[in-house]
């Protein structure tokens, strides 16, 4: 079975063509509706990377990347809400702790939808969320600057750092509770529909049974490296969607030229994503990431140019894709990624 013939690819395309793309402009100006989330739950896509014995598909990473491209190109807000789910699933699949048996199956089957609240750990040695052992469990204090899918997710994977520089990951319900309050949803230049909030933690207590991973910060940073240095499949999803608009506007030659360059870079990015040692060849990964950004920016800009003044209408997909591309420039950004990107931009 190839990537293209995997049944979940057909499911993703059907979901994108039948629901996500037709309503993307409406969703962009409002909120990802519960009906979209329900459709994603029923589709089986939430279990793409989950073990088959827990109700998932156990599909290769290449299939997961292709699905991410399809969904992000159709409705980036819906993609962004559901993409949070896959890291908790992968972490549970690798865990030997009791929480695996409690949560992996309902997450793999879509009974539950998970969000993530741990990007702030990448700010180390700053510690936005401090974790302290307390009463046979863990106390969380601080601020989670970004949490996506509030009111749409069922559970969240929360992390913080201890006084001994250990990162603790634990699950809790994605709702206000003693020690956890949420801000009002943020108004963003793009993906406001994803319902992103900040979370204030003031003595949130979680039991040991909620913990899925405890690991030294240095080890986490090493394992986390490819999440930041590899280009996101969504970059390619948005770029290809923009090239489709460009071709549809009668600019097939320009679209074809950009597509050829994008295909080439995408191939190199995904080849490195399969490299057995995830923390090797970092400069090459970063160079490809910034090149991917360049091509995405060129594709979305070309779509806006081709549509002319009409592209300024908020209902126009060209400017929506351009704004979504702007969001992807900073999604998951670290100091290392920012430096590499700015250095590349300075050479233009």
């Amino acid at each position: 079975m190839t990537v293209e013939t995997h049944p979940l690819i057909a499911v993703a395309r059907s979901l994108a063509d039948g629901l996500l793309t037709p309503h993307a402009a409406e969703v962009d100006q409002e909120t990802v509706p519960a009906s979209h989330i329900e459709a994603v739950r029923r589709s089986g896509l939430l279990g793409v990377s989950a073990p088959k014995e827990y109700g998932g598909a156990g599909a290769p990473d290449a299939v997961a990347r292709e699905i991410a491209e399809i969904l992000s190109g159709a409705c980036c807000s819906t993609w962004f809400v559901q993409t949070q789910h896959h890291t908790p699933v992968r972490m549970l699949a690798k865990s030997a702790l009791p929480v695996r048996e409690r949560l992996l199956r309902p997450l793999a089957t879509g009974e539950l939808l998970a969000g993530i609240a741990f990007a702030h750990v990448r700010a180390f040695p700053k510690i936005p969320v401090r974790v302290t052992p307390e009463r046979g469990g863990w106390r969380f204090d601080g601020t989670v600057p970004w949490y996506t899918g509030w009111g749409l997710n069922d559970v969240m994977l929360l992390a913080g750092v201890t006084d001994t520089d250990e990162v603790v990951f634990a699950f809790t319900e994605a709702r206000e509770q003693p020690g956890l309050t949420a801000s009002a949803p943020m108004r963003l230049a793009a993906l406001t529909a994803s319902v992103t909030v900040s979370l204030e933690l003031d003595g949130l207590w979680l039991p040991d049974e909620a913990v899925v991973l405890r690991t030294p910060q240095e080890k986490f940073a090493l394992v986390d490296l490819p999440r930041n240095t590899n280009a996101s499949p969504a970059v390619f999803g948005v770029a290809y969607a923009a090239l489709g608009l460009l071709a549809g506007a009668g600019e097939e030659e320009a679209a074809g030229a950009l597509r050829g360059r994008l295909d080439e870079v995408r191939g190199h990015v995904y080849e490195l994503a399969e490299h057995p040692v995830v923390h090797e060849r970092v400069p090459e990964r970063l160079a490809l990431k910034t090149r991917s950004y360049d091509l995405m920016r060129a594709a979305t800009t070309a779509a806006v140019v081709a549509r002319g003044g009409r592209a300024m209408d908020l209902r126009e997909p060209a400017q929506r894709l351009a704004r979504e591309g702007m969001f992807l420039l900073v999604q998951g950004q670290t100091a290392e990624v920012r430096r590499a990107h700015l250095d590349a931009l300075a050479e233009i």
Side-chain angles (χ1 to χ4, degrees):
M1 182 187 300
T2 66
V3 170
E4 284 297 326
T5 60
H6 194 284
L8 284 183
I9 298 298
V11 170
R13 293 195 190 283
S14 176
L15 182 64
D17 295 341
L19 179 65
L20 302 188
T21 299
H23 295 283
E26 175 187 349
V27 169
D28 176 61
Q29 295 302 306
E30 297 178 7
T31 297
V32 174
S35 56
H36 274 41
I37 298 301
E38 183 58 30
V40 173
R41 289 179 189 267
R42 292 195 311 265
S43 70
L45 297 177
L46 293 178
V48 58
S49 301
K52 290 182 178 180
E53 60 268 29
Y54 285 85
D61 288 346
V63 172
R65 289 193 293 266
E66 183 73 18
I67 290 171
E69 286 189 20
I70 293 167
L71 298 186
S72 59
C75 177
C76 205
S77 292
T78 302
W79 162 79
F80 192 50
V81 171
Q82 67 81 44
T83 200
Q84 317 291 313
H85 179 89
H86 300 290
T87 297
V89 168
R90 289 173 182 267
M91 194 172 288
L92 281 166
K94 295 177 181 178
S95 177
L97 296 177
V99 71
R100 171 188 170 117
E101 298 308 313
R102 178 167 64 88
L103 287 180
L104 184 51
R105 180 170 291 277
L107 290 178
T109 60
E111 178 185 343
L112 296 177
L113 179 67
I116 56 174
F118 67 77
H120 51 273
V121 175
R122 296 169 181 145
F124 188 87
K126 294 180 181 178
I127 302 179
V129 175
R130 175 72 70 182
V131 187
T132 310
E134 184 178 282
R135 295 183 288 117
W138 301 88
R139 175 186 172 121
F140 289 76
D141 292 280
T143 301
V144 176
W146 306 92
Y147 179 81
T148 293
W150 185 252
L152 298 172
N153 298 323
D154 302 299
V155 297
M156 73 169 73
L157 177 62
L158 173 64
V161 181
T162 69
D163 287 337
T164 59
D165 294 344
E166 182 180 46
V167 185
V168 178
F169 290 85
F171 283 94
T172 187
E173 294 184 20
R175 60 172 178 82
E176 290 203 344
Q177 53 188 292
L180 189 160
T181 57
S183 71
M186 300 178 189
R187 293 293 300 170
L188 306 173
L191 277 70
T192 285
S194 64
V195 197
T196 296
V197 299
S198 62
L199 302 175
E200 291 298 326
L201 308 174
D202 184 13
L204 174 67
W205 182 84
L206 299 179
D208 256 337
E209 293 75 21
V211 173
V212 65
L213 178 67
R214 293 171 56 185
T215 184
Q217 185 278 330
E218 287 185 359
K219 184 175 180 180
F220 166 75
L222 197 63
V223 173
D224 189 53
L225 196 61
R227 296 192 189 107
N228 310 309
T229 56
N230 290 333
S232 166
V235 170
F236 301 109
V238 166
Y240 283 127
L243 293 181
L245 293 178
L246 185 61
E251 300 295 338
E252 292 90 351
E253 184 176 350
L258 285 169
R259 184 179 298 275
R261 297 173 204 162
L262 192 64
D263 288 345
E264 181 181 3
V265 172
R266 176 182 181 269
H268 292 316
V269 167
Y270 289 169
E271 181 183 353
L272 272 182
E274 296 288 346
H275 191 276
V277 184
V278 297
H279 57 271
E280 288 185 352
R281 299 171 69 178
V282 169
E284 186 177 354
R285 295 174 193 270
L286 288 172
L288 286 167
K289 183 168 188 169
T290 56
R291 179 59 176 155
S292 302
Y293 284 156
D294 290 343
L295 290 167
M296 176 186 66
R297 191 171 63 252
T300 57
T301 301
V304 168
V305 171
R307 293 297 292 168
R310 291 169 294 180
M312 293 301 100
D313 189 322
L314 285 175
R315 296 166 295 183
E316 269 284 326
Q319 59 77 32
R320 173 175 54 80
L321 289 168
R323 287 188 288 108
E324 290 168 351
M326 179 178 66
F327 163 81
L328 293 172
L329 295 178
V330 297
Q331 187 229 342
Q333 185 189 68
T334 63
E336 184 178 24
V337 171
R338 180 167 54 249
R339 183 73 270 145
H341 195 184
L342 289 173
D343 289 346
L345 289 171
E347 294 179 2
I348 291 178

